């Protein structure tokens, strides 16, 4: 990756596809065959294989201890003057969602130095809201009726009406309107609280700061030259290796790598390494997430991914004499995107993606209608499958397009017939993709969260800490 790690200068163009395949399948037969092979592979996981020190996320009783842990962690991290970093996000999580997604997300990012979280709450669960309000590093701003204040509600309504590109569209477009509204308000809040850097990041994403000396986001942003106004971090996409995932942040360590990190030869092979019917190597967004200096003149969001600001003498360099706003792209630190790591993610995302009236269009296969809700084809595909209400169809979709285990299938052609080839040895296949940088493993989030889990269990009663959480 990035020319390191023994990547050969000449990439063998057909190496990935020259791996032996166990079977060729025509389009009309591959779904059932893939599911059958996955079932066989999953026999080895009939028993619980989650590490004893991993968070099983099976209960709600530990929530007060987890909040207490975060509040204590805040006092330990960044004890001396430092670069102050904040995250902003929009969430509709209920109490279970807070337990399973938001608390681990906040724990992890507090550990690596994020000091403030602006959570714009688009849900209606008052118990979830109560928990979030009790976390010292979190400032909660409700934006959904009836929890939202009247003034803020009118501001959001006016914002949506003025938004030419997305304001009149439902689904993902409506979410992006709320995200841009939230980022704009968060910039104001960050300035009031003297925060140095701001970044929009979703609860299914983790920031990993990779360097020889530190995994701290404070160090990554604090060492930027004064003329750097914004840093963009590209996203790598999670690849589950088996079906029954309980804790995505702990169990998923394999990621499809963004083209920014690939050698030119490896980049040419991405299309050959797509699972199932996927249209691209990364299924979701590819433009990364940016962090920007809060005190930059004229700082403003340009969507959920990037910022812009005014030209300034602060940004002047020999190759930028006008001091124009420019992103730099990090070649080391990344955003890990844990989207669709569980079958339940397909259902959950579908339920909040489109208004109810679009479900019948999806069942009828009317993609022109449902396109009103979606920016990305993969999200639309997932919605159409979920709309059928058929658990087996959802499972087939998840296994064939997300899971890289025995039974994985790739588009191929044999004797001028187009179809799918099943990978004969999935471990050899993964090793090849890892060797050429198309895949990469990240263990750091798991190590951080397991270490935190030990501390949380130690805070709990002896009877609880000696058993499962």
């Amino acid at each position: 990756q990035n020319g390191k790690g023994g990547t050969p200068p000449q990439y063998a163009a057909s190496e990935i596809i020259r791996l032996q395949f166990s079977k060729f399948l025509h389009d009309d037969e591959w779904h059932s065959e893939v599911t059958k092979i996955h079932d066989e592979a999953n026999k080895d996981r009939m028993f619980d294989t989650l590490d004893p020190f991993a968070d099983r996320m099976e209960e709600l009783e530990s929530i007060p201890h987890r909040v207490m842990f975060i509040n204590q962690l805040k006092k330990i991290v960044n004890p001396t003057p430092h670069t102050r970093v904040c995250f902003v996000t929009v969430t509709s999580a209920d109490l279970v969602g807070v337990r399973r997604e938001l608390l681990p997300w906040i724990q992890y990012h507090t550990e690596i130095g994020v000091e403030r979280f602006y959570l714009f709450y688009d849900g209606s669960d008052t118990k979830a809201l109560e928990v979030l309000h009790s976390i010292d590093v979190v400032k909660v701003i409700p934006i959904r009726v009836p929890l939202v204040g009247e003034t803020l509600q009118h501001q959001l309504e006016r914002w949506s009406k003025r938004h030419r590109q997305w304001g009149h569209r439902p689904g993902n477009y409506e979410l992006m309107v709320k995200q841009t509204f939230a980022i704009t308000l968060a910039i104001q809040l960050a300035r009031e609280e003297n925060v140095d850097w701001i970044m929009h990041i979703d609860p299914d994403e983790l920031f990993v700061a990779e360097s020889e000396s530190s995994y701290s986001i404070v160090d990554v942003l604090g060492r930027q030259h004064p003329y750097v106004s914004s840093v963009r971090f590209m996203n790598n996409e999670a690849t589950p290796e088996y079906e029954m995932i309980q804790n995505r942040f702990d169990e998923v360590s394999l990621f499809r790598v963004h083209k920014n990190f690939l050698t030119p030869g490896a980049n040419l092979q991405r299309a050959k390494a797509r699972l199932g019917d996927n249209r691209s190597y990364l299924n979701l967004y590819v433009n990364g997430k940016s962090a920007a200096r809060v005190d930059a003149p004229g700082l403003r969001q340009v969507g959920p991914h990037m910022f812009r600001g005014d030209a300034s003498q602060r940004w002047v360099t020999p190759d930028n004499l006008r001091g124009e706003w420019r992103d730099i792209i990090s070649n080391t630190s990344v955003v890990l995107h844990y989207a669709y790591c569980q079958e339940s993610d397909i259902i959950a995302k579908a339920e909040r993606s489109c208004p109810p009236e679009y479900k019948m269009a999806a069942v009828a296969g009317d993609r022109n209608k449902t396109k009103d809700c979606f920016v990305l084809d993969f999200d639309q595909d997932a919605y159409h499958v979920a709309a059928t209400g058929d658990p087996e169809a959802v499972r087939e979709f998840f296994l064939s397009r997300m899971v890289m285990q025995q039974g994985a299938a790739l588009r191929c052609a044999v004797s001028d017939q187009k179809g799918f080839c099943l990978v004969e040895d999935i471990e050899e296949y993964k090793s090849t993709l890892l060797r050429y940088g198309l895949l990469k493993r990240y263990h750091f989030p798991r190590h951080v969260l397991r270490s935190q889990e030990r501390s949380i269990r130690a805070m709990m009663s002896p009877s609880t800490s000696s058993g499962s959480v």
Side-chain angles (χ1 to χ4, degrees), residues 9 73 83 89 120 202 245-246 283 395 438 449 459-460:
L73 185 63
T83 299
T89 198
F120 287 77
D202 295 317
I245 301 288
Q246 288 180 258
N283 294 316
R395 182 168 181 256
L438 287 164
L449 289 165
M459 296 170 63
M460 299 169 68

Side-chain angles (χ1 to χ4, degrees), residues 141-192:
I141 303 97
I143 57 172
R144 177 179 287 270
V145 175
L147 301 176
V148 63
E150 185 176 345
T151 300
L152 194 62
Q153 179 185 350
H154 290 158
Q155 288 177 354
L156 178 55
E157 289 172 353
R158 287 196 300 270
W159 181 271
S160 180
K161 289 177 181 177
R162 290 201 313 265
H163 208 294
R164 301 175 189 173
Q165 188 177 5
W166 305 325
H168 62 290
R169 304 180 71 174
N172 290 173
Y173 296 96
E174 181 182 4
L175 172 60
M176 289 193 294
V177 169
K178 293 175 181 177
Q179 287 173 332
T180 55
F181 177 76
I183 298 168
T184 301
L185 263 61
I187 291 172
Q188 298 175 22
L189 293 170
R191 285 175 174 157
E192 292 170 4

Side-chain angles (χ1 to χ4, degrees), residues 49-184:
T49 58
L50 195 60
D51 186 273
F53 289 105
D55 178 8
R56 297 174 183 278
M57 299 182 166
E58 293 173 339
E59 44 62 51
L60 302 179
E61 291 76 18
S62 67
I63 287 178
H65 295 89
R66 297 178 186 280
V67 171
M68 188 185 307
F69 173 78
I70 295 171
N71 290 341
Q72 291 182 0
L73 185 63
K74 171 185 179 290
K75 301 173 184 177
I76 300 170
V77 178
N78 301 327
T80 58
H82 56 275
T83 299
R84 303 187 67 204
V85 180
C86 72
F87 279 1
V88 53
T89 198
V90 175
T91 177
S92 59
D94 58 9
L95 188 61
V96 173
V98 169
R99 167 68 180 87
R100 294 179 61 88
E101 189 168 73
L102 284 178
L103 289 180
W105 181 80
I106 295 168
Q107 284 172 214
Y108 171 83
H109 287 116
T110 301
E111 181 87 39
I112 66 168
V114 178
E115 188 167 336
R116 197 64 160 141
F117 298 84
Y118 299 116
L119 265 58
F120 287 77
Y121 188 62
D122 193 29
S124 55
D125 189 328
T126 55
K127 290 183 179 179
L129 195 61
E130 182 180 347
V131 170
L132 295 173
H133 274 302
S134 69
I135 304 173
D136 293 344
V137 293
V138 171
K139 183 175 181 63
V140 189
I141 303 97
I143 57 172
R144 177 179 287 270
V145 175
L147 301 176
V148 63
E150 185 176 345
T151 300
L152 194 62
Q153 179 185 350
H154 290 158
Q155 288 177 354
L156 178 55
E157 289 172 353
R158 287 196 300 270
W159 181 271
S160 180
K161 289 177 181 177
R162 290 201 313 265
H163 208 294
R164 301 175 189 173
Q165 188 177 5
W166 305 325
H168 62 290
R169 304 180 71 174
N172 290 173
Y173 296 96
E174 181 182 4
L175 172 60
M176 289 193 294
V177 169
K178 293 175 181 177
Q179 287 173 332
T180 55
F181 177 76
I183 298 168
T184 301

Side-chain angles (χ1 to χ4, degrees), residues 336-356:
L336 300 183
H337 192 192
Y338 293 81
Y340 295 108
C341 287
Q342 299 161 295
E343 290 174 42
S344 59
D345 292 343
I346 298 171
I347 304 294
K349 194 161 186 177
E351 288 175 348
R352 60 179 185 264
S353 289
C354 270

